[in-house]
């Protein structure tokens, strides 16, 4: 009887020791998996935030480009209208007309260069 009781106790201790070691291994492995999953989630969040920030910057840049083009186009249209009125004006001398036309043409050329530069953005 003592031998049987001793055998049962040895089996119980060894099985509990085996269970305990496998329990701690499983616990350690699950903790490692949780840490890896958390790191991956953080990396994914950072990448998503960077992508969203780049999208916002691209949208802002496109908006600024559009606004700048609209401003230059408005200025160019005004200069072209003024050029037409100067050319059509019969009350000014030819010298005065040539001077005004040259000045306006330089401003128009400058606006066209600005427009080309803005479109390169």
């Amino acid at each position: 009887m003592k031998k049987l009781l001793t055998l049962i106790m040895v089996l119980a201790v060894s099985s509990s020791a085996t269970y305990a070691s496998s329990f701690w291994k499983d616990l350690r492995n699950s903790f490692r998996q949780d840490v890896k999953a958390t790191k991956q989630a953080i990396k994914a969040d950072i990448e998503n935030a960077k992508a969203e920030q780049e999208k916002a910057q691209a949208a802002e840049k496109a908006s600024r480009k559009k606004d700048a083009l609209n401003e230059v186009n408005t200025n160019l249209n005004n200069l072209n209208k003024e050029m037409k009125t100067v050319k059509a004006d019969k009350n000014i001398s030819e010298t005065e007309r040539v001077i005004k036309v040259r000045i306006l043409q330089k401003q128009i050329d400058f606006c066209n260069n600005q427009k080309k530069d803005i479109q390169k953005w």
Side-chain angles (χ1 to χ4, degrees), residues 32-46:
R32 285 182 181 172
Q33 288 175 351
D34 289 344
V35 169
K36 285 181 184 178
T38 304
K39 285 181 181 179
Q40 289 175 348
I42 290 171
K43 286 180 184 178
D45 288 344
I46 290 171

Side-chain angles (χ1 to χ4, degrees), residues 86-118:
V86 167
K87 287 183 177 180
D89 192 5
K90 302 295 182 187
N91 297 331
I92 59 173
S93 67
E94 191 61 30
T95 306
E96 194 176 353
R97 183 187 329 271
V98 170
I99 292 170
K100 285 184 179 181
V101 167
R102 284 184 182 170
I103 291 171
L104 288 173
Q105 189 60 47
K106 285 182 181 180
Q107 290 176 351
I108 289 171
D109 291 341
F110 180 74
C111 286
N112 284 329
N113 288 336
Q114 276 185 328
K115 190 175 181 179
K116 287 178 186 176
D117 290 340
I118 291 171

Side-chain angles (χ1 to χ4, degrees), residues 78-79 95:
N78 291 337
L79 289 171
T95 306

